Amino acid sequence: MEYNRFFPPHDGLSLRELANHLGAEVADEKFSELVIHSVAPVYRAAKGDVCYILSRKNMDELRSCNASAIICATALQSIIPSHIPVLLSDNPHAAFAQAGALLHPQAMRAVTVGKDASGISPAAFVDPTARLEANVLIEPMAVIGADAEIGEGSQIGAGAVIGAGVKIGRNCSISAGASVLCAYVGNNVIIHNGARIGQDGFGYAPGPAGMLKIVQIGRVIIQDNVEIGANTTIDRGTMDDTVIGEGTKIDNQAQIGHNVRIGRHTAIVSQVGIAGSAKIGSGVQIGGQAGVAGHIHVGDGAQLAAGSGVIFDLAPGGRYGGVPARPIKDFLREMAETMAKIGNRKKMRGGEND
């Protein structure tokens, strides 16, 4: 691939330095002074790149690989060509993630208007009562409301809106066009472009003249190390708070309703919808386009397949799929039986398409 002007290569780390950072082992010390500049996939890795493999599926790609290092488990070392240095790791996937963050730190945060951008743009509006710690970056057309607080090292992207009284922690990235209202945000939080945090929850009561809007006076609490994807929406609570737990990662275009509480280190893929007052445990994984009904409790460590519909509480640690969501083995067995019935009907019709 041609030189990437958006994420240029690192000045360089020796393989020994990289291994020390990753807690990995250089398999052959004669390669320890080779310099690593970037990460790349196996099929196009070249001099200066580090890549990784998790299985033997990459064997064909290895034949043309010219990486300066490959991260792998000890069990796969034998399939690596002799000319490619090996970094041995018990968890190659995590080690590669660490390597990427180390070699491309600028890609781990929201991209600013320029790599040398700093301070408060004269084209931004910062209310005089707002309190900013040192080294805060405010890009053009951003708006910082009255009594807002922004911690040291945080970046507010172009056109972003930080509402009155909002508190943003340290080393956060609030990307271009995002809005954060009625919220307290922890440290090291990333909020991507166009995300909407803290707007009204969807609450109405039927009345004789139509739908009556229910007041929404709660907050959104986002704990440390959370990442929220582009165009995701998180409603503030009705009277309690909407809470996103520490380390949780939410993909693009998800909808989190009012009073939802999500535990720590949970992963939510794109286009998931979670209705009001649902409780999602810690370590939960929710596949794309899944839906969780209101007031449902999903237990710690549960896994939901893409497209699942949750209308009953789910026990901790289970794997679920389908609509309504049920144990994944039951869902897959039902799917197999349905497909078999469809196949039998086609045979009876002489192979005609339905």
Side-chain angles (χ1 to χ4, degrees):
M1 188 175 75
E2 64 179 8
Y3 168 76
N4 189 336
R5 63 181 298 179
F6 300 110
F7 304 107
H10 191 278
D11 291 340
L13 291 170
S14 72
L15 199 56
R16 167 56 52 206
E17 291 175 311
L18 182 60
N20 290 340
H21 280 290
L22 305 184
E25 176 189 349
V26 181
D28 190 336
E29 286 294 331
K30 73 180 181 184
F31 294 117
S32 61
E33 296 307 314
L34 278 175
V35 178
I36 305 297
H37 296 280
S38 186
V39 295
V42 174
Y43 75 89
R44 65 166 177 79
K47 182 179 179 181
D49 294 333
V50 62
C51 54
Y52 77 112
I53 61 170
L54 297 177
S55 71
R56 295 177 179 270
K57 291 190 299 184
N58 299 104
M59 286 185 66
D60 289 341
E61 295 176 344
L62 286 171
R63 296 189 182 97
S64 59
C65 181
N66 290 304
S68 287
I70 289 181
I71 304 170
C72 71
T74 302
L76 296 176
Q77 183 180 357
S78 62
I79 70 171
I80 307 299
S82 59
H83 68 280
I84 301 178
V86 175
L87 285 179
L88 297 174
S89 171
D90 293 334
N91 189 340
H93 200 179
F96 184 76
Q98 291 175 287
L102 189 65
L103 294 167
H104 296 282
Q106 70 275 35
M108 302 303 290
R109 301 186 64 171
V111 178
T112 64
V113 292
K115 67 177 181 179
D116 299 321
S118 62
I120 301 172
S121 167
F125 173 79
V126 180
D127 189 278
T129 62
R131 295 175 290 281
L132 277 59
E133 292 187 344
N135 302 316
V136 170
L137 169 67
I138 311 291
E139 293 185 353
M141 308 308 293
V143 175
I144 313 300
D147 295 316
E149 298 180 17
I150 302 176
E152 181 176 1
S154 288
Q155 301 176 354
I156 310 300
V161 175
I162 307 301
V166 167
K167 295 182 180 181
I168 306 291
R170 293 172 175 163
N171 299 312
C172 293
S173 296
I174 313 300
S175 300
S179 59
V180 183
L181 313 172
C182 306
Y184 293 159
V185 178
N187 300 321
N188 305 308
V189 170
I190 298 173
I191 298 177
H192 286 277
N193 305 66
R196 302 288 180 232
I197 312 298
Q199 60 285 328
D200 278 14
F202 189 74
Y204 296 88
M211 302 297 285
L212 300 174
K213 188 175 181 65
I214 297 174
V215 68
Q216 306 286 310
I217 58 173
R219 307 170 296 184
V220 175
I221 308 298
I222 299 175
Q223 297 179 357
D224 294 350
N225 302 308
V226 167
E227 185 162 357
I228 296 167
N231 295 323
T232 279
T233 55
I234 302 178
D235 296 340
R236 68 176 182 262
T238 303
M239 288 171 283
D240 293 323
D241 294 328
T242 301
V243 180
I244 311 299
E246 176 188 3
T248 283
K249 313 299 182 186
I250 302 174
D251 197 2
N252 304 330
Q253 299 181 327
Q255 158 65 16
I256 312 299
H258 55 199
N259 303 331
V260 167
R261 291 180 175 259
I262 298 174
R264 300 166 64 244
H265 304 294
T266 283
I268 298 172
V269 182
S270 63
Q271 299 184 351
V272 164
I274 302 177
S277 298
K279 290 181 172 59
I280 310 298
S282 296
V284 173
Q285 298 179 17
I286 304 180
Q289 296 188 328
V292 180
H295 302 272
I296 293 296
H297 183 205
V298 177
D300 293 348
Q303 298 180 15
L304 301 179
S308 299
V310 182
I311 60 173
F312 306 109
D313 289 352
L314 298 181
R319 301 177 66 199
Y320 304 93
V323 181
R326 49 206 183 274
I328 194 70
K329 289 183 179 179
D330 295 342
F331 169 61
L332 293 176
R333 181 175 61 252
E334 291 168 16
M335 287 291 293
E337 290 172 354
T338 299
M339 295 304 295
K341 289 177 182 177
I342 292 171
N344 289 336
R345 284 202 298 269
K346 286 183 177 181
K347 288 179 181 178
M348 291 174 64
R349 295 173 183 174
E352 293 179 4
N353 292 326
D354 287 342

